[in-house]
Amino acid sequence: MFEEIRNFGQIKLEDEWISHIKTYMSDSRFEHTLGVTTVAVYLSEFYDVDKDLVRKTALLHDIAKDMSPDEMANIAGKYGYQIQDISLQYEANLHAEIGALIAEHEFGLYDKDALNAIRFHVCARPDMSLLEKIIFLSDHAEPQRPNQPMLRTLIEIAKTDINLSILRMLRVVIEYQVSNSIPKYVCDITSEAYDYLLEDYCKTDQIYDQSPENNDILSDEEFDEAFELIRCNQIKLKSVENARWIKDLLTNSGRKIKDGLLIRSGSLHQLTDEEADYLNTLGLSLVIDLRTPMEVAQAPDKSIAGVRYENIPLVENIDTSMMDYLTQRYMQSLSETDRAWYVEQYARIDEVIKMYRNISMDARSLDSIHRIFQLLRESPGTILFHCTSGKDRTGIIAALLLLALGCDKKYIISDYNASAVTLFTKTESIKADLGVRGNGKENLKRGLQTSISVVPEVLRSGLYYIENNYFSNDSFIFEATGCNDRELELLRNKFLV
Ligand SMILES: [Fe+2]
Ligand SMILES: [Fe+2]
């Protein structure tokens, strides 16, 4: 996508105006400014907005950033400007206010909207104009900022839904503010911006893109459906969590998934001999273990006579991101005993939260998925795939398989939701423990809760992203599964009645 952006917003460096801007700032600041401008101009193509104004505003947004507080105070004095409380309490905002002054008086940018976009580009504010939104987002998402995969997603979303994109961005900003003890007065302004947008956003009809914490329990109907699915599909194994058949689901072409070929479950490390025998009687021929090598080393699957075992980690190393950073900080704030408990319970927190969104951007994950689909196509007999609890990584493979077989999304979501029934008591007891142990970091507690809960929105939005953002629509399933036409046909003939 950045290729597209680059081709798009070529900044002409010979422009005299730009040369003048360059004299106000360091090389790295100038680089940042060009990055912001490029993204802003790119985004403005998707909206009815004055593109020249967007360009000028972006170029000027950090014009005061390299000045000292004294220099900025002098400029305020020179133009008779009263510095606002927000900058008095939070110096990092001062360059935004002074930047607007310089833009107006020294660059002749008189447009009120543009000046506001500069003034509010750091902390945002409620009821932002389109131009303010574009500048705010571009500043926070330009190509030199860390965590590019996430930012690229936000820019991609912003092409059609800038409010959603900014909501996501504001969450990151607010988490940063809270964990860095930014004054409450400042946090409140950004939080108001978030609440204002959220209210607006909830009026729109975006079923795939609500944030998980608003949806962290299933509705009664969804629970009923999940109970029914478990009643029909559960495989009773005392020592294996969440074991069940994937069967009987209808595809869009009217075919059904065959009975007796596909099992999804949690880890097999406590499997008893009798249970291993029982799995043998089901015709089990292959176990695909989606856990990382470290998890496998800690709790290896019991081997089952005559059954092939393949460890194909779905997720290995994940980029350091804001979430990792916050999680680490949170961990550091805990006592040693509590920390050990968290590490044990939530070793995979980052994977869970990011996996659904990022899996198709991670080449190694895609590679794993392609290998798994090859095994699914080529291995005879019953195949069992599992991770630890059989919810998330297992859920992703199940979802992709069901998509490839042509199932409607509503069946895919019900299959995922069934984990809510099987893991219910475990989830609730961890939540209770979390309530006792968690010490006040609400946003992280929420994140941790999301990671252990069954949240249909997580899967829904994951599917939506995989389908719409990372793959060209028509070829999505080929790219995601690594199957060509003929192989997909093989897969369907193998697993469908
Ligand atoms: Fe700035
Ligand atoms: Fe900036």
Side-chain angles (χ1 to χ4, degrees):
M1 184 183 59
F2 270 113
E3 206 38 52
E4 199 186 328
I5 296 179
R6 256 196 301 277
N7 292 339
F8 196 82
Q10 288 293 339
I11 308 294
K12 290 189 194 65
L13 292 175
E14 65 275 19
D15 189 323
E16 228 176 86
W17 213 55
I18 292 186
S19 316
H20 188 42
I21 286 172
K22 198 171 187 309
T23 63
Y24 280 74
M25 53 184 76
S26 66
D27 286 353
S28 62
R29 180 77 46 212
F30 186 62
E31 276 286 296
H32 161 77
T33 297
L34 292 185
V36 174
T37 308
T38 309
V39 175
V41 170
Y42 174 76
L43 284 178
S44 68
E45 261 315 288
F46 301 91
Y47 291 92
D48 182 18
V49 61
D50 180 342
K51 288 162 191 64
D52 187 51
L53 191 62
V54 168
R55 183 173 180 274
K56 285 181 174 155
T57 312
L59 282 168
L60 287 169
H61 86 281
D62 265 350
I63 193 76
K65 179 82 181 188
D66 285 340
M67 292 177 175
S68 69
D70 282 350
E71 282 175 288
M72 288 194 272
N74 283 340
I75 287 176
K78 179 171 163 192
Y79 298 115
Y81 178 79
Q82 178 96 44
I83 293 168
Q84 303 292 297
D85 279 351
I86 183 167
S87 301
L88 293 175
Q89 295 204 26
Y90 185 42
E91 204 178 71
N93 192 68
L94 184 57
H95 78 276
E97 281 193 56
I98 303 301
L101 276 186
I102 298 175
E104 182 178 0
H105 296 284
E106 298 177 21
F107 284 82
L109 183 71
Y110 299 118
D111 186 280
K112 284 268 167 324
D113 193 16
L115 295 174
N116 282 335
I118 296 174
R119 200 169 285 132
F120 299 106
H121 83 262
V122 176
C123 300
R125 64 162 178 169
D127 198 12
M128 288 191 284
S129 70
L130 183 57
L131 179 59
E132 287 175 49
K133 288 174 186 172
I134 289 175
I135 298 300
F136 176 80
L137 187 68
S138 307
D139 181 40
H140 286 78
E142 62 98 7
Q144 290 182 60
R145 299 277 194 195
N147 199 4
Q148 279 301 311
M150 185 266 280
L151 297 179
R152 253 172 276 164
T153 305
L154 291 193
I155 295 175
E156 193 60 37
I157 294 170
K159 283 157 60 173
T160 50
D161 190 346
I162 197 162
N163 287 347
L164 175 63
S165 181
I166 290 185
L167 271 176
R168 299 243 171 109
M169 183 60 87
L170 285 171
R171 278 179 58 185
V172 177
V173 174
I174 291 167
E175 280 175 356
Y176 171 85
Q177 290 177 336
V178 169
S179 65
N180 284 278
S181 314
I182 306 292
K184 187 176 177 314
Y185 179 84
V186 178
C187 299
D188 283 353
I189 291 174
T190 310
S191 296
E192 276 168 37
Y194 178 90
D195 290 339
Y196 188 96
L197 261 184
L198 185 64
E199 202 177 315
D200 234 23
Y201 182 70
C202 289
K203 290 177 198 147
T204 65
D205 193 22
Q206 290 273 343
I207 52 165
Y208 291 115
D209 268 320
Q210 294 155 27
S211 52
E213 60 265 48
N214 299 327
N215 296 275
D216 63 2
I217 40 165
L218 301 195
S219 67
D220 290 346
E221 257 172 34
E222 285 168 322
F223 252 110
D224 286 350
E225 251 180 41
F227 274 120
E228 178 62 12
L229 194 138
I230 290 300
R231 194 179 66 77
C232 300
N233 294 1
Q234 189 175 40
I235 300 174
K236 286 202 183 72
L237 297 171
K238 259 208 152 87
S239 58
V240 181
E241 275 184 325
N242 207 4
R244 56 189 201 250
W245 293 107
I246 300 177
K247 63 172 174 118
D248 292 341
L249 295 171
L250 262 184
T251 70
N252 292 331
S253 60
R255 297 170 83 181
K256 248 186 184 179
I257 298 183
K258 281 183 192 163
D259 195 353
L261 286 184
L262 289 165
I263 301 173
R264 55 176 289 175
S265 76
S267 156
L268 305 184
H269 69 286
Q270 290 177 318
L271 193 74
T272 63
D273 290 346
E274 297 81 64
E275 287 170 336
D277 288 346
Y278 175 65
L279 285 175
N280 254 325
T281 66
L282 300 179
L284 187 66
S285 67
L286 168 67
V287 169
I288 304 175
D289 185 346
L290 305 170
R291 296 173 302 163
T292 63
M294 206 167 84
E295 290 172 288
V296 173
Q298 280 165 359
D301 274 12
K302 288 278 156 54
S303 62
I304 309 171
V307 175
R308 178 177 170 195
Y309 170 86
E310 291 283 344
N311 177 212
I312 307 180
L314 188 57
V315 185
E316 261 166 319
N317 299 317
I318 297 170
D319 307 351
T320 315
S321 71
M322 185 58 86
M323 194 62 204
D324 293 336
Y325 172 71
L326 288 172
T327 307
Q328 271 167 26
R329 280 179 60 101
Y330 184 45
M331 293 293 184
Q332 279 158 14
S333 74
L334 297 171
S335 75
E336 210 164 300
T337 351
D338 279 355
R339 186 157 60 235
W341 181 84
Y342 269 99
V343 169
E344 193 198 333
Q345 294 295 333
Y346 303 114
R348 291 165 301 282
I349 165 83
D350 49 352
E351 293 166 23
V352 177
I353 286 180
K354 285 181 285 176
M355 185 164 51
Y356 288 99
R357 301 286 161 86
N358 292 351
I359 201 142
S360 49
M361 294 168 67
D362 181 321
R364 271 166 310 186
S365 292
L366 262 187
D367 199 46
S368 294
I369 294 172
H370 294 177
R371 281 174 59 207
I372 291 161
F373 270 84
Q374 187 182 1
L375 286 171
L376 287 169
R377 278 193 318 265
E378 295 173 0
S379 272
T382 304
I383 299 173
L384 180 154
F385 55 94
H386 76 81
C387 48
T388 301
S389 298
K391 174 169 80 78
D392 291 299
R393 286 169 285 188
T394 300
I396 283 179
I397 295 303
L400 283 175
L401 177 60
L402 294 176
L403 271 182
L405 294 176
C407 288
D408 193 88
K409 285 208 186 73
K410 83 173 182 218
Y411 294 122
I412 298 174
I413 303 286
S414 339
D415 181 64
Y416 168 81
N417 285 348
S419 294
V421 169
T422 46
L423 300 176
F424 183 72
T425 49
K426 179 189 178 189
T427 307
E428 290 308 303
S429 85
I430 295 178
K431 274 187 192 167
D433 222 351
L434 200 57
V436 176
R437 301 238 191 188
N439 55 358
K441 308 267 177 170
E442 283 307 319
N443 55 339
L444 278 161
K445 259 169 42 179
R446 262 205 325 269
L448 292 167
Q449 287 199 9
T450 303
S451 80
I452 57 164
S453 301
V454 174
V455 184
E457 283 311 324
V458 172
L459 181 67
R460 233 174 250 154
S461 69
L463 290 177
Y464 177 77
Y465 276 101
I466 292 172
E467 205 173 4
N468 291 295
N469 289 329
Y470 306 130
F471 301 103
S472 46
N473 272 345
D474 45 349
S475 64
F476 143 71
I477 206 67
F478 300 113
E479 291 176 56
T481 63
C483 298
N484 60 29
D485 255 332
R486 192 185 55 82
E487 289 164 338
L488 208 56
E489 204 41 44
L490 269 175
L491 193 80
R492 288 179 180 158
N493 288 335
K494 181 176 172 192
F495 290 112
L496 297 177
V497 176

